[in-house]
Amino acid sequence: MALKLENTEKIMLPPEFEYRMRKMLGAEYEIFEKSLWEGPYQAFRINTLKADPKILLKQLPFPVRSVPWAQDGYYYGPDYQPGKHPYHDAGVYYIQEPSAMVPAEYLEAAPGERILDLCAAPGGKSTQIAAKMKGQGILVCNEIHPARARILSENIERMGIANAVVTNETPERLAEFFVEYFDRILVDAPCSGEGMFRKNEAAKAEWSLQNVEMCAERQDAILNCAARMLRPGGRLVYSTCTFAPEENEGSISRFVKRFPEFSIIQAKRVSGMMPGQADWTIEAAAHIEDTIRLFPHKVAGEGHFAAVLQKAGASGGFNFAGGGEETGIPEKDCKEWLIFREENLRVKQEGVYLAFGAQLYLAPCHMPSIRGLKVLRPGLHLGTNKKNRFEPSHALALSLHKEEACRTVNLSAEDPNLGAYLGGQSIASEGEKGYCLVLADSYGIGWGKRSGGILKNHYPKGLRKRY
């Protein structure tokens, strides 16, 4: 069940919003408004890049139940705090609003594809897409706002994703580089945020009819760029967390009118999901009823809208932006890394080596040139060259499975030694000296370096915490 809000003043909805919603919902409005008095549902999604759901569900110290529209999504109760559990630090799951899991499911990402998440921060949908890709192909995750792009990059790292490129660009700039390049594009568009009213008081305070109109115009511009970047035959998923028809049925109808090569595909609906409504917008596109709406009085989640579109034609290859593929540097020039890999790893990662000063990255195979783009994370950060030695990155640790490291230290989530390690302390550890992959119940969580019966702490200072 959803939480009940207690000791809280009456939620004041903007009068213009209330008037419009009454017109839209009619007799259902009262129960809709009542739902806004309930607290939000809480859920997380298992990261299948790191964990087998069947095993993890037995390890969890709290009960869960399935989110009906997300393959690996689960609700948890209000008395639990999975964000404060070591599994969260290990990237074993991503805490995500349940309705927000819908768009990435509809994208139907597959291994080996070229996929763009155009408005990606904070990263919930990008990490959901990455799990579907199983480490194969190229995932470009873009966010226009620098601070949010950094949070996106941190979440990509925490979830152990190796084949993602994080960019901090405008959609217009990306569209210059990636003409008809992507197999699938997700546009989780910036919106007026009406669907988050019961989660976010600021969304109510900032709402206005003018903001709805401004968001609709911005969505049109973003979709124009997405249309340019999708290959013929490709799939585009558009989503918002608002109820406003101008930003939902309206945005899609205007888009299809501008780009008649796109058609709406019927989105799969589970119990409680509503179809899009033709009479809520002007000049509704054909099959607008095949889009979906989620209302908080009908589903166990917040307000969302999603549409699935397909571009006509068949792919005749794909285009690069002038620079072709990223060539990188030869493997033989990564001497310190090769020594580290030989001594500490049982796996040879595939990709293109990129050096930025002392920092070494492994970009996805066949990655297009990123010259001229603002890139925060050009693939997997392997580590740093330091005076004839190589220091592995935290990102590398989070990307590894236990069998891929030569030495491991496996600690139970309840073991005080794990809490000490995550707090930055060295711990006792007997065995062969050298770098060890520290595991929380067999899930990679960081590095330590063993010597003389002590595991010296290499957990990043900025992530350390007390348990």
Side-chain angles (χ1 to χ4, degrees):
M1 295 178 63
L3 302 174
K4 293 291 184 181
L5 296 177
E6 297 179 355
N7 301 321
T8 304
E9 294 183 3
K10 180 176 174 61
I11 299 173
M12 298 301 293
L13 297 174
E16 296 94 339
F17 169 79
E18 182 178 348
Y19 174 75
R20 189 197 69 207
M21 295 306 298
R22 284 186 182 276
K23 286 182 64 177
M24 289 169 59
L25 296 177
E28 289 188 34
Y29 177 79
E30 299 301 333
I31 190 171
F32 163 75
E33 184 177 1
K34 183 179 179 182
S35 73
L36 300 183
W37 285 86
E38 298 178 341
Y41 286 84
Q42 298 169 303
F44 66 82
R45 180 179 37 77
I46 295 175
N47 178 15
T48 54
L49 292 174
K50 299 199 73 169
D52 181 337
K54 293 180 181 178
I55 296 175
L56 179 62
L57 290 174
K58 295 177 182 178
Q59 295 173 313
L60 291 174
F62 49 85
V64 298
R65 62 185 179 89
S66 296
V67 175
W69 49 77
Q71 183 178 1
D72 300 304
Y74 294 88
Y75 296 100
Y76 62 90
D79 297 330
Y80 303 100
Q81 295 180 303
K84 294 184 177 181
H85 194 279
Y87 289 171
H88 182 266
D89 299 290
V92 175
Y93 48 68
Y94 189 102
I95 297 172
Q96 189 174 16
E97 195 283 309
S99 293
M101 299 178 189
V102 166
E105 290 289 328
Y106 285 166
L107 197 65
E108 296 185 359
E113 293 183 321
R114 303 176 302 278
I115 299 178
L116 170 64
D117 186 355
L118 186 51
C119 313
K125 297 173 181 67
S126 287
T127 58
Q128 189 174 357
I129 293 166
K132 306 274 187 192
M133 296 176 73
K134 300 180 181 179
Q136 302 170 41
I138 299 171
L139 173 60
V140 177
C141 313
N142 183 68
E143 174 56 45
I144 190 172
H145 299 289
R148 286 171 55 81
R150 287 192 291 273
I151 294 171
L152 167 64
S153 182
E154 290 167 2
N155 280 322
I156 292 294
E157 175 177 295
R158 181 171 62 86
M159 303 298 275
I161 298 166
N163 63 322
V165 178
V166 179
T167 58
N168 172 213
E169 282 291 354
T170 65
E172 290 79 9
R173 182 66 171 154
L174 286 181
E176 295 174 6
F177 272 70
F178 298 107
V179 179
E180 294 190 344
Y181 174 79
F182 294 103
D183 297 299
R184 302 177 192 269
I185 298 177
L186 174 62
V187 177
D188 183 47
C191 67
S192 56
E194 297 171 3
M196 297 293 113
F197 273 4
R198 71 176 177 183
K199 281 191 67 177
N200 186 355
E201 290 293 325
K204 293 198 293 291
E206 296 168 0
W207 185 92
S208 69
L209 290 174
Q210 292 76 15
N211 189 43
V212 170
E213 293 172 1
M214 182 186 70
C215 288
E217 291 177 4
R218 183 188 299 136
Q219 291 153 7
D220 287 350
I222 293 172
L223 282 169
N224 289 347
C225 297
R228 290 177 60 192
M229 291 187 279
L230 190 68
R231 69 161 175 84
R235 172 173 288 207
L236 169 66
V237 172
Y238 172 83
S239 63
T240 71
C241 58
T242 187
F243 304 116
E246 299 95 321
E247 303 177 65
N248 295 334
E249 291 93 345
S251 283
I252 292 301
S253 295
R254 295 190 301 272
F255 175 71
V256 172
K257 186 175 182 179
R258 294 194 306 276
F259 297 93
E261 66 270 30
F262 281 84
S263 57
I264 299 171
I265 299 173
Q266 186 173 23
K268 297 176 183 177
R269 291 198 293 270
V270 303
S271 178
M273 292 182 177
M274 281 184 59
Q277 301 295 305
D279 58 353
W280 287 355
T281 191
I282 300 171
E283 296 184 30
H287 306 296
I288 197 69
E289 69 278 1
D290 288 337
T291 63
I292 67 137
R293 278 180 168 270
L294 286 77
F295 283 96
H297 65 294
K298 288 181 172 291
V299 300
E302 304 308 302
H304 262 70
F305 171 87
V308 183
L309 301 107
Q310 184 165 350
K311 192 173 185 179
S315 177
F318 50 91
N319 300 313
F320 288 110
E325 292 187 1
E326 196 68 58
T327 54
I329 59 175
E331 186 178 63
K332 63 182 178 61
D333 291 346
C334 307
K335 186 171 102 174
E336 291 82 4
W337 156 252
L338 294 177
I339 293 171
F340 171 85
R341 188 179 71 185
E342 178 68 24
E343 293 177 349
N344 299 284
L345 301 182
R346 293 194 175 102
V347 62
K348 179 181 179 182
Q349 298 90 343
E350 296 295 328
V352 178
Y353 291 102
L354 300 176
F356 298 89
Q359 307 303 315
L360 184 65
Y361 286 80
L362 189 69
C365 293
H366 307 296
M367 188 179 83
S369 173
I370 57 175
R371 296 180 187 89
L373 289 176
K374 296 176 185 176
V375 178
L376 274 68
R377 183 173 295 271
L380 176 63
H381 184 208
L382 295 174
T384 309
N385 291 310
K386 289 190 173 183
K387 296 181 181 179
N388 298 319
R389 65 183 178 86
F390 189 82
E391 186 171 293
S393 71
H394 187 56
L396 177 61
L398 291 170
S399 73
L400 293 170
H401 293 267
K402 61 180 181 179
E403 64 273 9
E404 295 175 330
C406 292
R407 291 168 294 279
T408 61
V409 176
N410 192 12
L411 303 171
S412 165
E414 290 76 33
D415 190 332
N417 279 323
L418 181 59
Y421 168 79
L422 295 175
Q425 299 178 40
S426 296
I427 59 176
S429 178
E430 296 294 336
E432 182 183 9
K433 69 178 182 178
Y435 277 102
C436 301
L437 179 63
V438 180
L439 308 168
D441 288 334
S442 297
Y443 303 116
I445 200 169
W447 292 109
K449 195 170 186 180
R450 186 193 285 140
S451 179
I454 298 294
L455 188 73
K456 295 179 181 179
N457 198 298
H458 281 251
Y459 198 71
K461 291 182 180 179
L463 298 178
R464 293 174 183 177
K465 61 183 70 174
R466 290 185 178 181
Y467 278 90

